[in-house]
Amino acid sequence: MTFVKRSDLIDNITLHEAIKRVINEYGSTTVEEITLRVNEYGLYERKDKKPVPNVFCK
């Protein structure tokens, strides 16, 4: 995946846009994989600075 680091992004994108970017790059994938990629590439930053949670993690 050819994403730039979060600090290099020109604009802040929504979580929805970050998810769309991952799906466009990888195609159909799992929620776990999408969450991993969004966090790994720093595509979205929550207001509390925590990573995007994987709702299926226990």
Side-chain angles (χ1 to χ4, degrees):
M1 189 177 265
T2 56
F3 287 110
V4 295
K5 293 180 182 176
R6 175 121 183 103
S7 60
D8 296 334
L9 291 175
I10 295 171
D11 55 44
N12 293 326
I13 63 172
T14 64
L15 179 57
H16 183 243
E17 181 61 32
I19 292 168
K20 284 176 31 180
R21 287 185 185 189
V22 172
I23 292 171
N24 287 338
E25 183 74 23
Y26 284 94
S28 181
T29 188
T30 65
V31 172
E32 293 87 354
E33 184 71 18
I34 292 169
T35 304
L36 174 71
R37 299 297 176 205
V38 167
N39 289 325
E40 180 179 345
Y41 293 108
L43 297 177
Y44 178 77
E45 185 176 81
R46 292 172 28 159
K47 289 180 183 179
D48 62 5
K49 308 294 187 202
K50 293 181 182 177
V52 175
N54 182 339
V55 296
F56 296 106
C57 286
K58 295 185 180 188

